[in-house]
Amino acid sequence: MPVFTDPTRLLALTAFALLSALAGADDVDLAASCGECHALAAPAPGATAADARLSEQAPPLWYAGNKFRQEWLEVWLQHPQRIRPAGHVPARHTVSTDDGDQIDVESLPEHPAFPAGKAGQFAAALSRLRPHDALVEAEDYTPGSVAMRMGTMDFRRFKGCIGCHRDREETGGISGPELAGAWQRLQPEYLVSYIRDPRAWDPAAAMPPPGLNDRAIHNLVNYLRVIAEE
Amino acid sequence: MSRILLVLFVAVLASGALAADGDALYRTYCSQCHGITGHGNGINAPHMSVVPRDHTNASEMGKRSDEDLFKVVAEGGSSMNQSILMPAWSGLLEDDDLHALIRHMRALCCE
């Protein structure tokens, strides 16, 4: 089971993330600017996945430096676009209708945009939040390729990722983050490691581990690369 | 240091104040496919090749024991020769959470 069942390890991660965030205060104050919505520290020791998830307002950023590509962060913060079509916790934005559940788009929060200089400072500060270097270093992944047809079938039919994620615009479930742009947005080792065990990264993860072997995970990540570069 | 302690204190308070029950768990994890009301019409349903189970259907739900429901929720649809789109939640949720979900599903269908 994940490292988060170990209180000592969790406390260490929490302290690391907090100190890292505070260390960036010379450039930008992450706690003041981002902390109102985004978690900058790991959830409290002992919190269940459900407790942790329900306490969040927005995607956590306490491991942003291991997750995002810094160059992508800098651009996105200047021109933010929605990554999660239904928000971070979809149920908060879901209404039941005669045509099935729908997202109340008006209830989804908009992320503020920042000027280039500030966006660069935020991206740099967030990229210093790296409590999961060990998880990244544990991966042995070399980007490869996969035939588009096979990758699409794998993503949609065999692994069922399509249930929650889009791999093309307007194609796929909307409760999870869109993945058409995942390769540009996320570090490759993060993708591999997170698919392997989401809770090792985040006790508040909403995605259950799919139980895939290395080859299957690498094929999926290769597919995310292929669709990003098509 | 006081700032760090304050953040930790608030985090502990927040997690303790939001103990999850079956309804909250269902809304957070199941409703995306099975719907807020459990009718199988969640926000992801239109994009799925297999229609999610309608948990309000007493006839269908009556055919499944609590043990069967626990197995399919914990180990995923493929463990019961059902849709692979139903993931195995035991890797994310605790057994107590899963039992709370089963009780909530029984309430949806049969109370």
Side-chain angles (χ1 to χ4, degrees), chain A residues 53 56 60 63 66-67 84 88 132 135-136 139 165 177 179 186-211 217 221, chain B residues 92:
Chain A
R53 190 68 177 182
E56 288 186 343
Y63 51 92
N66 292 124
K67 175 179 179 180
R84 297 159 191 263
H88 183 55
H132 287 322
L135 289 175
V136 171
E139 295 298 340
H165 299 280
L179 295 181
L186 303 167
Q187 297 176 28
E189 289 78 12
Y190 164 80
L191 282 166
V192 173
S193 180
Y194 191 89
I195 293 171
R196 185 188 312 287
D197 187 1
R199 282 205 77 187
W201 280 80
D202 186 355
M207 181 173 120
I217 294 171
V221 176
Chain B
L92 197 68

Side-chain angles (χ1 to χ4, degrees), chain B residues 59-76:
Chain B
S59 173
E60 282 297 314
M61 293 295 284
K63 297 174 184 173
R64 288 161 179 79
S65 67
D66 284 358
E67 289 74 22
D68 286 347
L69 289 177
F70 187 91
K71 183 175 176 65
V72 77
V73 175
E75 300 176 25

Side-chain angles (χ1 to χ4, degrees), chain A:
Chain A
M1 226 17 202
V3 295
F4 298 97
T5 54
D6 178 350
T8 306
R9 171 99 167 116
L10 224 171
L11 268 177
L13 285 173
T14 303
F16 179 93
L18 274 169
L19 291 171
S20 299
L22 295 174
D26 291 342
D27 302 324
V28 288
D29 188 342
L30 285 182
S33 302
C34 313
E36 186 175 339
C37 300
H38 298 277
L40 295 171
T48 67
D51 286 341
R53 190 68 177 182
L54 290 170
S55 69
E56 288 186 343
Q57 299 299 317
L61 291 177
W62 55 274
Y63 51 92
N66 292 124
K67 175 179 179 180
F68 296 108
R69 295 181 189 262
Q70 184 174 341
E71 64 274 20
W72 176 88
L73 266 178
E74 185 169 349
V75 172
W76 189 87
L77 287 167
Q78 296 173 64
H79 310 285
Q81 295 184 321
R82 194 169 304 288
I83 295 167
R84 297 159 191 263
H88 183 55
V89 181
R92 292 181 185 145
H93 308 285
T94 302
V95 291
S96 183
T97 77
D98 291 342
D99 296 323
D101 286 1
Q102 307 281 336
I103 292 301
D104 175 12
V105 177
E106 297 297 316
S107 73
L108 296 172
E110 297 289 338
H111 196 281
F114 298 95
K118 200 75 170 174
Q121 288 178 309
F122 278 127
L126 289 168
S127 294
R128 286 195 287 270
L129 304 179
R130 302 181 59 88
H132 287 322
D133 280 346
L135 289 175
V136 171
E137 289 162 7
E139 295 298 340
D140 181 16
Y141 168 67
T142 301
S145 190
V146 62
M148 179 66 80
R149 187 157 176 264
M150 282 305 298
T152 302
M153 285 179 65
D154 194 34
F155 184 92
R156 297 183 179 185
R157 186 178 299 178
F158 302 141
K159 302 299 187 302
C161 313
I162 197 78
C164 299
H165 299 280
R166 290 174 170 172
D167 62 345
R168 305 280 201 291
E169 194 169 346
E170 305 300 323
T171 305
I174 60 174
S175 65
E178 68 82 20
L179 295 181
W183 184 262
Q184 292 99 334
R185 181 169 76 244
L186 303 167
Q187 297 176 28
E189 289 78 12
Y190 164 80
L191 282 166
V192 173
S193 180
Y194 191 89
I195 293 171
R196 185 188 312 287
D197 187 1
R199 282 205 77 187
W201 280 80
D202 186 355
M207 181 173 120
L212 303 177
N213 62 28
D214 280 357
R215 184 175 179 186
I217 294 171
H218 291 183
N219 279 340
L220 278 174
V221 176
N222 287 340
Y223 174 63
L224 298 178
R225 177 188 180 213
V226 167
I227 59 175
E229 295 176 349
E230 73 175 328

Side-chain angles (χ1 to χ4, degrees), chain B residues 3-53:
Chain B
R3 192 173 179 179
I4 294 173
L5 290 174
L6 177 63
V7 172
L8 285 174
F9 179 68
V10 170
V12 170
L13 278 183
S15 67
L18 290 168
D21 57 21
D23 179 55
L25 285 165
Y26 192 90
R27 289 177 65 87
T28 303
Y29 296 102
C30 311
S31 70
Q32 53 192 307
C33 299
H34 293 280
I36 291 288
T37 57
H39 284 82
N41 56 0
I43 55 174
N44 290 336
H47 308 281
M48 305 175 89
S49 56
V50 177
V51 177
R53 179 82 60 198

